[in-house]
Amino acid sequence: MKAAMFLFIALLAVSKAKVFSRCELARALKAAGMDGYRGISLANWVCLAKWESDYNTNAINNNSDGSSDYGIFQINSRWWCNNHRTPTENGCRINCSELLSANLHVAIQCAKRVVRDPNGISAWVAWRNKCRGRDLNQYVSGCGV
Ligand SMILES: *[C@@H]1O[C@H](CO)[C@@H](O)[C@H](O)[C@H]1NC(C)=O
Ligand SMILES: *[C@@H]1O[C@H](CO)[C@@H](O)[C@H](O)[C@H]1NC(C)=O
C-alpha cells in the first residue's frame, strides 16, 4: 500500500504541469544551452515563451487548420509532434503530450529542432509580433543569467 502510494506520488511528480517564473525559466533554458543556440539569445527564448504560453507548460491551443499547439513553446502538431488526432510530419518524433511536462527536456530538444529549419525562430508568430526587433532585456534582467 505504501509502495503503491509512493508510486502514485512519483508519477504525479513527473507528469505534473508547471507555470514557470520568468527567471526560473531563463535559468532552465540557459542550463540547457539555449543562450546563443543558432545565434538566438536567451532573452528571445524567454520572450517567445512569455507570449506563446505565459510560461505555462500545460498550455494547449487549437488552430483553425485543426492542428494544436503544445506546451511552453506552443509547438505545432501538424509539423512537430503527434497528437494521435490530426495529420502530422512529427519532425521531433514525439507524442505532443510530452511537450506538456514540467521537465522541459523534450520541449527544449524539439524547439532546437524547429530553429534548425530555414525559418529559424520566425516560425513562431508570437516571436514575430512581440519580440522581433525589440529591446528584450526586460525578459532576463535580474535573473543572474
Ligand atoms: C481543442 O480541440 C480538442 C479536440 O477537438 C478539444 O477537445 C479541446 O476542447 C479544444 N480546446 C479548446 C481550447 O478549444
Ligand atoms: C501519448 O501520451 C498520452 C499522455 O501521456 C498517452 O495517454 C498516450 O497513450 C500517448 N500515446 C502514445 C501513442 O504513446
Side-chain angles (χ1 to χ4, degrees), residues 3 7 14 17 24-25 28 32 38 40 42-43 47 52 60 72 80 92 105 112 118 123 126 129 136 138 140:
L7 183 61
V14 293
E24 188 184 16
L25 180 65
R38 294 264 150 169
I40 301 162
L42 189 59
C47 180
E52 287 287 357
I60 303 177
I72 201 153
W80 304 109
C92 291
H105 179 75
K112 286 179 171 177
N129 291 339
L136 301 180
Q138 60 176 302
V140 290

Side-chain angles (χ1 to χ4, degrees), residues 84 95-98:
H84 305 282
N95 186 336
C96 293
S97 66
E98 294 178 70

Side-chain angles (χ1 to χ4, degrees), residues 60-62 68 85:
I60 303 177
N61 287 291
N62 295 336
S68 300
R85 192 166 53 78

Side-chain angles (χ1 to χ4, degrees), residues 36-98:
Y37 187 79
R38 294 264 150 169
I40 301 162
S41 76
L42 189 59
N44 281 281
W45 291 110
V46 177
C47 180
L48 185 163
K50 163 68 185 171
W51 295 104
E52 287 287 357
S53 67
D54 209 6
Y55 308 135
N56 185 357
T57 66
N58 203 32
I60 303 177
N61 287 291
N62 295 336
N63 302 308
S64 53
D65 68 356
S67 67
S68 300
D69 296 334
Y70 294 84
I72 201 153
F73 301 125
Q74 288 291 281
I75 289 174
N76 182 261
S77 65
R78 175 174 295 275
W79 302 107
W80 304 109
C81 65
N82 189 352
N83 64 9
H84 305 282
R85 192 166 53 78
T86 50
T88 183
E89 296 291 323
N90 196 4
C92 291
R93 300 273 165 265
I94 53 173
N95 186 336
C96 293
S97 66
E98 294 178 70

Side-chain angles (χ1 to χ4, degrees), residues 11-31:
L11 284 173
L12 269 184
V14 293
S15 63
K16 202 163 164 259
K18 163 171 173 141
V19 179
F20 277 75
S21 78
R22 178 178 63 85
C23 285
E24 188 184 16
L25 180 65
R27 287 190 289 266
L29 297 182
K30 178 148 185 173

